[in-house]
Amino acid sequence: MPELPEVETVRRGLDQLVVGREITKIDVFEPKSFLGQPAEASGHRVTGTRRRGKVLMIDLDGGLTLVGHLKMTGQMVYRETAPGPDATRWGAGHPNDSLIGELPDASSRLAIHFEGGSTLYFNDQRKFGWLALIPTDQVAAIPLLAKMGPEPLEGDPWPEFRRRIRRHQATSVKAALLNQEIVAGIGNIYADEALWHARIHPATRVGDISDRKLKSALGGAAQAMRLSLELGGSTDRNYVDAEGRRGAYLDFANVFRREGQPCKRCQRPISKTRLAGRGTHFCPACQRPPRPRTV
DNA sequence: CACTTGACCTGTCCGC
DNA sequence: TGCGGACAGGTCAAGT
């Protein structure tokens, strides 16, 4: 699932690959995946890329921006040449071979064509993701962005994080970490990793957790995401970067998708349960369940 | 307002 | 082998 490190990895790739290129045409294969008028992008040149939380932005000249969200299965994959017999980058046996092949494929929702024949494909198996073409000065007003909490890897997010999470004392800390209005960019993988780091049971109510522990959880999320950035993100099923490559972070995860395997701190088996509508991984020994407060 | 649940989708996996 | 259903999880709408 593309979370902050995955979206940032895609952004860095796109920054190298498409900045300076002029869009000739956008072909939309799945109308619900694109908001706005695709024809309005033609003739505009990419001036830069940005990211806020899990939201990707590709700025164009003329005051336009392509804003996108990959949700769970979105991919932004750049190909230098038009599809053809030689377009496949990966040889037989390459680890990417089974993940992504010639484009467009069945999951391709739109194609952004550039001067010179290169193409940026937006693939999204489950059609939850979207791209929108809107005036740059209206990007910040998108509700998701307008309400979004602090960036966990920029400056000191703790004071703002603390202010926001303390408004939600009755919710579970797992749900709070997934709430983009409390802190930006954390999804299911890094929420579980953060709580393992801080030794907090995911079902614990925010109101029952000290500031010191909450700060540790935020720090744990940041630590996991920084490592993931170095490793090109997490590839669970679909995620690839702008050049179609997998990320390697899950090989180093402490709890995510490790149910039944030994905790790296205490060797007890990792548990998996369902919380806040999500699969939730934790060490039942290191992360003690909350005590009932009354009765 | 705070909080929870279901909807949105489709590919994969599991049990029968 | 085929089939039904659970599951995967980011965000929003609708519910309590």
Side-chain angles (χ1 to χ4, degrees), chain A residues 14 28 55 135 145 160 163 185 193 231 257 261 268 281 288 292:
Chain A
L14 292 180
V28 177
V55 177
L145 292 172
E160 183 65 14
R163 194 173 73 76
E193 294 298 312
L231 297 167
R257 283 291 155 81
Q261 297 176 52
R268 298 270 296 275
H281 313 73
R288 296 280 180 206

Side-chain angles (χ1 to χ4, degrees), chain A residues 154-226:
Chain A
E154 290 173 20
D156 178 12
W158 165 247
E160 183 65 14
F161 170 77
R162 177 179 182 275
R163 194 173 73 76
R164 289 174 178 245
I165 199 171
R166 287 300 183 196
R167 289 187 215 142
H168 299 264
Q169 300 282 63
T171 196
S172 70
V173 64
K174 169 79 186 257
L177 289 179
L178 294 174
N179 184 343
Q180 302 299 295
E181 298 181 28
I182 292 174
V183 58
I186 297 178
N188 206 35
I189 297 173
Y190 303 101
D192 284 358
E193 294 298 312
L195 294 173
W196 180 86
H197 174 96
R199 304 182 188 231
I200 303 170
H201 191 286
T204 314
R205 291 167 188 252
V206 170
D208 292 337
I209 304 174
S210 66
D211 273 5
R212 189 185 136 276
K213 281 242 174 187
L214 286 178
K215 193 170 184 177
S216 173
L218 180 64
Q223 185 183 83
M225 291 193 290
R226 284 202 178 89

Side-chain angles (χ1 to χ4, degrees), chain A residues 79-88 102-105 111 113 117-119 121:
Chain A
R79 288 290 161 91
E80 194 61 54
T81 56
D86 300 327
T88 305
E102 213 159 288
L103 295 175
D105 63 21
H113 299 286
S118 62
T119 305
Y121 293 93

Side-chain angles (χ1 to χ4, degrees), chain A residues 7-8 32 52 63 67-68 70 84 90 92 95 137 165 184 203 231 256 269 272:
Chain A
V7 179
E8 176 63 14
K32 68 168 293 182
R52 178 82 171 93
V67 185
L70 303 177
W90 329 116
D137 60 12
I165 199 171
L231 297 167
F256 190 81
K272 180 177 182 182

Side-chain angles (χ1 to χ4, degrees), chain A residues 7 17 32 40 46 77 128 146 158 176 182 184 189 220 256 280 282:
Chain A
V7 179
L17 295 165
K32 68 168 293 182
E40 289 177 4
V46 177
V77 184
F128 289 173
W158 165 247
I182 292 174
I189 297 173
F256 190 81
T280 298
F282 66 102

Side-chain angles (χ1 to χ4, degrees), chain A residues 111-125:
Chain A
I112 302 172
H113 299 286
F114 296 99
E115 198 177 36
S118 62
T119 305
L120 179 61
Y121 293 93
F122 176 59
N123 296 342
D124 185 20
Q125 182 178 99

Side-chain angles (χ1 to χ4, degrees), chain A residues 50 82 119 126 130 134 169 257 260 263 267 276-277 289:
Chain A
R50 293 179 286 154
T119 305
R126 291 170 68 179
W130 46 266
I134 60 178
Q169 300 282 63
R257 283 291 155 81
C263 171
Q267 318 308 319

